[in-house]
Amino acid sequence: MTESPLKVWREKDGRLLRLRLNRAKANIIDAEMIAALDAAFSDVAANPDVHAVLFDHDGPHFSFGASVEEHLPAQCAKMLKGLHALIKKMLTCPAPIMVVVNGQCLGGGLEVAMAANMMFVNPEARLGQPEIKLAVFAPAASCLLPRLAGQQAAEDLLLSGRSISGDEATRLGIAVKADADPEAAALAYYDEHFGGLSASTLRYAVTAVRQNFANEVSADLDRVEKLYL
């Protein structure tokens, strides 16, 4: 029996949903991983007792990116639509998503991470969109990065394909905090800011603050997906 690509469990009296990429060391974002994540975020919407989601990874690296094989012509359109549907689902998730990043967080892995509400990173993590070096571009990052880091920084990262440290990602506004133990930092944030709140009110607040952002990114994703294909 093949092990699931995603570990799922509850903590904090069931109020914190934990998701962990379970394909160390690369944690490739392939069709199977996308389907598992999509199902997990669908469950968040269906379970109003979930206060927040903490999304991290097994092994030293968050993700080396999307599956190169699934980006070949025969599968590319299907794979891209699945990835973008997942990102849209994350953007409209009613519970706040905290993502934890150590090691490499590249390509489609970074696109998924940027769809969360807040990112906690190791200062020495390496984040980047290297697609340009493979003679393609990063569709979802082209929509997300300008809104998170500003237009000039986004163009620098997307056109060069260079990677940046967790510290630089925090300075640019891609991450909210750089910490040597980003998982502990995310759990501390939950305890201090989310743990005592009404789940219902928190969900309304997330929906209110994300509504325009989610709508704009989703519309841009549709346009950029056509451009990519």
Side-chain angles (χ1 to χ4, degrees):
M1 182 175 177
T2 304
E3 191 174 14
S4 171
L6 185 71
K7 294 179 182 176
V8 181
W9 74 99
R10 297 271 197 111
E11 290 182 359
K12 308 290 183 181
D13 297 323
R15 291 151 67 93
L16 179 63
L17 178 67
R18 298 292 305 264
L19 305 178
R20 177 165 291 166
L21 300 179
N22 190 34
R23 290 282 172 81
K25 72 176 182 178
N27 287 319
I28 295 297
I29 308 297
D30 59 9
E32 188 178 13
M33 184 75 81
I34 289 168
L37 286 166
D38 189 272
F41 285 111
S42 293
D43 286 345
V44 175
N47 288 278
D49 59 323
V50 174
H51 258 59
V53 180
L54 201 163
F55 175 19
D56 64 5
H57 57 96
D58 196 20
H61 303 289
F62 183 83
S63 174
F64 287 174
S67 167
V68 174
E69 291 79 8
E70 291 177 8
H71 270 81
L72 296 176
Q75 301 179 64
C76 181
K78 182 178 179 181
M79 191 275 176
L80 206 61
K81 290 180 187 302
L83 177 59
H84 291 171
L86 169 63
I87 287 170
K88 290 176 184 178
K89 184 164 288 187
M90 291 177 67
L91 291 170
T92 57
C93 180
I97 305 168
M98 301 178 290
V99 65
V100 169
V101 171
N102 291 284
Q104 301 276 352
C105 181
L106 303 173
L110 181 54
E111 290 179 320
V112 169
M114 287 192 294
N117 298 78
M118 50 193 68
M119 192 187 306
F120 297 81
V121 295
N122 189 300
E124 297 181 0
R126 303 299 298 173
L127 294 79
Q129 300 290 165
E131 286 87 343
I132 195 77
K133 297 178 181 180
L134 298 175
V136 291
F137 68 92
S142 298
C143 305
L144 289 162
L145 258 178
R147 290 175 166 88
L148 296 175
Q151 187 68 28
Q152 191 169 48
E155 290 184 13
D156 165 28
L157 296 176
L158 291 166
L159 302 183
S160 70
R162 73 182 184 91
S163 292
I164 58 174
S165 68
D167 274 333
E168 187 173 354
T170 305
R171 288 196 298 272
L172 289 173
I174 298 168
V176 295
K177 186 172 184 179
D179 192 282
D181 189 343
E183 181 186 1
L187 287 167
Y189 189 99
Y190 173 88
D191 288 339
E192 182 177 356
H193 299 294
F194 294 155
L197 298 180
S198 153
S200 174
T201 302
L202 188 56
R203 285 181 171 232
Y204 277 114
V206 169
T207 301
V209 75
R210 292 278 266 186
Q211 195 165 39
N212 285 343
F213 179 75
N215 289 342
E216 290 172 3
V217 173
S218 293
D220 281 355
L221 265 176
D222 291 340
R223 288 190 289 268
V224 173
E225 184 180 298
K226 290 178 183 177
L227 179 64
Y228 188 98
L229 294 174

